[in-house]
PDB file of all heavy atoms in Angstrom:
ATOM      1  N   GLU A 107      21.965  -8.356 -21.990  1.00  0.00           N
ATOM      2  CA  GLU A 107      23.366  -8.776 -22.000  1.00  0.00           C
ATOM      3  C   GLU A 107      24.271  -7.702 -21.381  1.00  0.00           C
ATOM      4  O   GLU A 107      23.928  -6.514 -21.347  1.00  0.00           O
ATOM      5  CB  GLU A 107      23.819  -9.035 -23.441  1.00  0.00           C
ATOM      6  CG  GLU A 107      23.077 -10.173 -24.126  1.00  0.00           C
ATOM      7  CD  GLU A 107      23.715 -11.527 -23.839  1.00  0.00           C
ATOM      8  OE1 GLU A 107      24.569 -11.593 -22.925  1.00  0.00           O
ATOM      9  OE2 GLU A 107      23.363 -12.504 -24.531  1.00  0.00           O
ATOM     10  N   ALA A 108      25.448  -8.133 -20.907  1.00  0.00           N
ATOM     11  CA  ALA A 108      26.356  -7.233 -20.195  1.00  0.00           C
ATOM     12  C   ALA A 108      26.812  -6.070 -21.072  1.00  0.00           C
ATOM     13  O   ALA A 108      26.809  -4.909 -20.642  1.00  0.00           O
ATOM     14  CB  ALA A 108      27.565  -8.022 -19.681  1.00  0.00           C
ATOM     15  N   ASP A 109      27.219  -6.338 -22.313  1.00  0.00           N
ATOM     16  CA  ASP A 109      27.689  -5.257 -23.186  1.00  0.00           C
ATOM     17  C   ASP A 109      26.583  -4.254 -23.466  1.00  0.00           C
ATOM     18  O   ASP A 109      26.814  -3.041 -23.486  1.00  0.00           O
ATOM     19  CB  ASP A 109      28.216  -5.834 -24.500  1.00  0.00           C
ATOM     20  CG  ASP A 109      29.519  -6.590 -24.311  1.00  0.00           C
ATOM     21  OD1 ASP A 109      30.185  -6.369 -23.272  1.00  0.00           O
ATOM     22  OD2 ASP A 109      29.867  -7.414 -25.183  1.00  0.00           O
ATOM     23  N   GLU A 110      25.399  -4.775 -23.699  1.00  0.00           N
ATOM     24  CA  GLU A 110      24.265  -3.900 -23.973  1.00  0.00           C
ATOM     25  C   GLU A 110      23.945  -3.037 -22.753  1.00  0.00           C
ATOM     26  O   GLU A 110      23.651  -1.838 -22.886  1.00  0.00           O
ATOM     27  CB  GLU A 110      23.059  -4.759 -24.362  1.00  0.00           C
ATOM     28  CG  GLU A 110      21.861  -3.969 -24.818  1.00  0.00           C
ATOM     29  CD  GLU A 110      20.763  -4.884 -25.323  1.00  0.00           C
ATOM     30  OE1 GLU A 110      20.584  -5.974 -24.751  1.00  0.00           O
ATOM     31  OE2 GLU A 110      20.095  -4.506 -26.280  1.00  0.00           O
ATOM     32  N   TRP A 111      24.037  -3.617 -21.567  1.00  0.00           N
ATOM     33  CA  TRP A 111      23.716  -2.857 -20.370  1.00  0.00           C
ATOM     34  C   TRP A 111      24.734  -1.736 -20.124  1.00  0.00           C
ATOM     35  O   TRP A 111      24.373  -0.654 -19.672  1.00  0.00           O
ATOM     36  CB  TRP A 111      23.650  -3.773 -19.152  1.00  0.00           C
ATOM     37  CG  TRP A 111      23.368  -2.999 -17.898  1.00  0.00           C
ATOM     38  CD1 TRP A 111      24.223  -2.696 -16.891  1.00  0.00           C
ATOM     39  CD2 TRP A 111      22.123  -2.375 -17.559  1.00  0.00           C
ATOM     40  NE1 TRP A 111      23.601  -1.940 -15.930  1.00  0.00           N
ATOM     41  CE2 TRP A 111      22.301  -1.731 -16.311  1.00  0.00           C
ATOM     42  CE3 TRP A 111      20.875  -2.313 -18.165  1.00  0.00           C
ATOM     43  CZ2 TRP A 111      21.291  -1.023 -15.670  1.00  0.00           C
ATOM     44  CZ3 TRP A 111      19.859  -1.619 -17.535  1.00  0.00           C
ATOM     45  CH2 TRP A 111      20.066  -0.987 -16.311  1.00  0.00           C
ATOM     46  N   ARG A 112      25.998  -1.987 -20.448  1.00  0.00           N
ATOM     47  CA  ARG A 112      27.003  -0.939 -20.261  1.00  0.00           C
ATOM     48  C   ARG A 112      26.651   0.301 -21.069  1.00  0.00           C
ATOM     49  O   ARG A 112      26.811   1.430 -20.603  1.00  0.00           O
ATOM     50  CB  ARG A 112      28.390  -1.462 -20.637  1.00  0.00           C
ATOM     51  CG  ARG A 112      29.098  -2.176 -19.494  1.00  0.00           C
ATOM     52  CD  ARG A 112      30.555  -2.454 -19.830  1.00  0.00           C
ATOM     53  NE  ARG A 112      30.690  -3.564 -20.759  1.00  0.00           N
ATOM     54  CZ  ARG A 112      30.820  -4.829 -20.390  1.00  0.00           C
ATOM     55  NH1 ARG A 112      30.843  -5.139 -19.120  1.00  0.00           N
ATOM     56  NH2 ARG A 112      30.941  -5.791 -21.292  1.00  0.00           N
ATOM     57  N   SER A 113      26.165   0.101 -22.283  1.00  0.00           N
ATOM     58  CA  SER A 113      25.767   1.252 -23.104  1.00  0.00           C
ATOM     59  C   SER A 113      24.556   1.952 -22.502  1.00  0.00           C
ATOM     60  O   SER A 113      24.503   3.189 -22.432  1.00  0.00           O
ATOM     61  CB  SER A 113      25.449   0.786 -24.530  1.00  0.00           C
ATOM     62  OG  SER A 113      26.579   0.202 -25.142  1.00  0.00           O
ATOM     63  N   LEU A 114      23.562   1.158 -22.049  1.00  0.00           N
ATOM     64  CA  LEU A 114      22.388   1.762 -21.421  1.00  0.00           C
ATOM     65  C   LEU A 114      22.769   2.509 -20.152  1.00  0.00           C
ATOM     66  O   LEU A 114      22.285   3.620 -19.889  1.00  0.00           O
ATOM     67  CB  LEU A 114      21.357   0.680 -21.096  1.00  0.00           C
ATOM     68  CG  LEU A 114      20.611   0.054 -22.267  1.00  0.00           C
ATOM     69  CD1 LEU A 114      19.679  -1.047 -21.766  1.00  0.00           C
ATOM     70  CD2 LEU A 114      19.814   1.110 -23.027  1.00  0.00           C
ATOM     71  N   GLU A 115      23.630   1.911 -19.359  1.00  0.00           N
ATOM     72  CA  GLU A 115      24.049   2.522 -18.093  1.00  0.00           C
ATOM     73  C   GLU A 115      24.719   3.870 -18.336  1.00  0.00           C
ATOM     74  O   GLU A 115      24.437   4.863 -17.648  1.00  0.00           O
ATOM     75  CB  GLU A 115      24.993   1.566 -17.374  1.00  0.00           C
ATOM     76  CG  GLU A 115      25.370   1.975 -15.982  1.00  0.00           C
ATOM     77  CD  GLU A 115      26.228   0.917 -15.317  1.00  0.00           C
ATOM     78  OE1 GLU A 115      27.042   0.282 -16.033  1.00  0.00           O
ATOM     79  OE2 GLU A 115      26.092   0.713 -14.099  1.00  0.00           O
ATOM     80  N   GLN A 116      25.586   3.905 -19.328  1.00  0.00           N
ATOM     81  CA  GLN A 116      26.275   5.150 -19.643  1.00  0.00           C
ATOM     82  C   GLN A 116      25.284   6.218 -20.102  1.00  0.00           C
ATOM     83  O   GLN A 116      25.353   7.373 -19.663  1.00  0.00           O
ATOM     84  CB  GLN A 116      27.323   4.902 -20.733  1.00  0.00           C
ATOM     85  CG  GLN A 116      28.043   6.159 -21.195  1.00  0.00           C
ATOM     86  CD  GLN A 116      28.934   5.904 -22.410  1.00  0.00           C
ATOM     87  OE1 GLN A 116      29.051   4.760 -22.877  1.00  0.00           O
ATOM     88  NE2 GLN A 116      29.550   6.951 -22.930  1.00  0.00           N
ATOM     89  N   GLY A 117      24.368   5.834 -20.980  1.00  0.00           N
ATOM     90  CA  GLY A 117      23.407   6.809 -21.488  1.00  0.00           C
ATOM     91  C   GLY A 117      22.448   7.308 -20.426  1.00  0.00           C
ATOM     92  O   GLY A 117      22.122   8.506 -20.383  1.00  0.00           O
ATOM     93  N   VAL A 118      21.995   6.425 -19.538  1.00  0.00           N
ATOM     94  CA  VAL A 118      21.070   6.830 -18.481  1.00  0.00           C
ATOM     95  C   VAL A 118      21.762   7.752 -17.483  1.00  0.00           C
ATOM     96  O   VAL A 118      21.202   8.774 -17.058  1.00  0.00           O
ATOM     97  CB  VAL A 118      20.488   5.582 -17.785  1.00  0.00           C
ATOM     98  CG1 VAL A 118      19.774   5.953 -16.494  1.00  0.00           C
ATOM     99  CG2 VAL A 118      19.530   4.852 -18.717  1.00  0.00           C
ATOM    100  N   ALA A 119      22.988   7.413 -17.074  1.00  0.00           N
ATOM    101  CA  ALA A 119      23.719   8.259 -16.134  1.00  0.00           C
ATOM    102  C   ALA A 119      23.972   9.638 -16.733  1.00  0.00           C
ATOM    103  O   ALA A 119      23.884  10.663 -16.039  1.00  0.00           O
ATOM    104  CB  ALA A 119      25.035   7.588 -15.750  1.00  0.00           C
ATOM    105  N   GLN A 120      24.293   9.685 -18.033  1.00  0.00           N
ATOM    106  CA  GLN A 120      24.508  10.983 -18.689  1.00  0.00           C
ATOM    107  C   GLN A 120      23.239  11.818 -18.668  1.00  0.00           C
ATOM    108  O   GLN A 120      23.277  13.023 -18.373  1.00  0.00           O
ATOM    109  CB  GLN A 120      24.973  10.744 -20.127  1.00  0.00           C
ATOM    110  CG  GLN A 120      25.218  12.030 -20.909  1.00  0.00           C
ATOM    111  CD  GLN A 120      25.279  11.784 -22.414  1.00  0.00           C
ATOM    112  OE1 GLN A 120      24.430  11.072 -22.961  1.00  0.00           O
ATOM    113  NE2 GLN A 120      26.283  12.352 -23.065  1.00  0.00           N
ATOM    114  N   ARG A 121      22.117  11.200 -18.954  1.00  0.00           N
ATOM    115  CA  ARG A 121      20.842  11.936 -18.950  1.00  0.00           C
ATOM    116  C   ARG A 121      20.494  12.429 -17.548  1.00  0.00           C
ATOM    117  O   ARG A 121      19.973  13.534 -17.379  1.00  0.00           O
ATOM    118  CB  ARG A 121      19.719  11.045 -19.477  1.00  0.00           C
ATOM    119  CG  ARG A 121      19.676  10.959 -20.985  1.00  0.00           C
ATOM    120  CD  ARG A 121      18.613   9.997 -21.468  1.00  0.00           C
ATOM    121  NE  ARG A 121      18.389  10.193 -22.896  1.00  0.00           N
ATOM    122  CZ  ARG A 121      17.459  10.998 -23.409  1.00  0.00           C
ATOM    123  NH1 ARG A 121      16.674  11.681 -22.616  1.00  0.00           N
ATOM    124  NH2 ARG A 121      17.328  11.122 -24.717  1.00  0.00           N
ATOM    125  N   ALA A 122      20.752  11.623 -16.542  1.00  0.00           N
ATOM    126  CA  ALA A 122      20.469  12.054 -15.175  1.00  0.00           C
ATOM    127  C   ALA A 122      21.303  13.280 -14.816  1.00  0.00           C
ATOM    128  O   ALA A 122      20.807  14.246 -14.220  1.00  0.00           O
ATOM    129  CB  ALA A 122      20.762  10.908 -14.210  1.00  0.00           C
ATOM    130  N   ARG A 123      22.580  13.250 -15.192  1.00  0.00           N
ATOM    131  CA  ARG A 123      23.453  14.402 -14.926  1.00  0.00           C
ATOM    132  C   ARG A 123      22.959  15.633 -15.672  1.00  0.00           C
ATOM    133  O   ARG A 123      22.949  16.753 -15.131  1.00  0.00           O
ATOM    134  CB  ARG A 123      24.878  14.024 -15.360  1.00  0.00           C
ATOM    135  CG  ARG A 123      25.948  15.037 -15.042  1.00  0.00           C
ATOM    136  CD  ARG A 123      27.333  14.371 -15.040  1.00  0.00           C
ATOM    137  NE  ARG A 123      27.515  13.499 -16.192  1.00  0.00           N
ATOM    138  CZ  ARG A 123      28.201  13.836 -17.287  1.00  0.00           C
ATOM    139  NH1 ARG A 123      28.755  15.033 -17.375  1.00  0.00           N
ATOM    140  NH2 ARG A 123      28.347  12.985 -18.271  1.00  0.00           N
ATOM    141  N   LEU A 124      22.502  15.426 -16.903  1.00  0.00           N
ATOM    142  CA  LEU A 124      22.013  16.544 -17.705  1.00  0.00           C
ATOM    143  C   LEU A 124      20.757  17.155 -17.088  1.00  0.00           C
ATOM    144  O   LEU A 124      20.648  18.384 -16.954  1.00  0.00           O
ATOM    145  CB  LEU A 124      21.729  16.062 -19.128  1.00  0.00           C
ATOM    146  CG  LEU A 124      21.060  17.070 -20.065  1.00  0.00           C
ATOM    147  CD1 LEU A 124      21.926  18.300 -20.258  1.00  0.00           C
ATOM    148  CD2 LEU A 124      20.733  16.422 -21.414  1.00  0.00           C
ATOM    149  N   LEU A 125      19.805  16.338 -16.702  1.00  0.00           N
ATOM    150  CA  LEU A 125      18.547  16.863 -16.167  1.00  0.00           C
ATOM    151  C   LEU A 125      18.770  17.602 -14.853  1.00  0.00           C
ATOM    152  O   LEU A 125      18.130  18.630 -14.587  1.00  0.00           O
ATOM    153  CB  LEU A 125      17.551  15.721 -15.980  1.00  0.00           C
ATOM    154  CG  LEU A 125      17.038  15.068 -17.272  1.00  0.00           C
ATOM    155  CD1 LEU A 125      16.119  13.896 -16.955  1.00  0.00           C
ATOM    156  CD2 LEU A 125      16.320  16.081 -18.156  1.00  0.00           C
ATOM    157  N   ASN A 126      19.660  17.102 -14.006  1.00  0.00           N
ATOM    158  CA  ASN A 126      19.939  17.817 -12.756  1.00  0.00           C
ATOM    159  C   ASN A 126      20.592  19.170 -13.043  1.00  0.00           C
ATOM    160  O   ASN A 126      20.308  20.170 -12.370  1.00  0.00           O
ATOM    161  CB  ASN A 126      20.841  16.970 -11.857  1.00  0.00           C
ATOM    162  CG  ASN A 126      20.876  17.493 -10.446  1.00  0.00           C
ATOM    163  OD1 ASN A 126      19.908  17.367  -9.694  1.00  0.00           O
ATOM    164  ND2 ASN A 126      21.993  18.102 -10.057  1.00  0.00           N
TER     165      ASN A 126
END
Side-chain angles (χ1 to χ4, degrees):
E107 297 274 13
D109 290 341
E110 186 174 37
W111 178 254
R112 274 190 284 270
S113 299
L114 288 177
E115 187 176 35
Q116 177 188 357
V118 167
Q120 180 197 46
R121 280 176 166 267
R123 186 159 46 101
L124 173 61
L125 292 177
N126 194 72

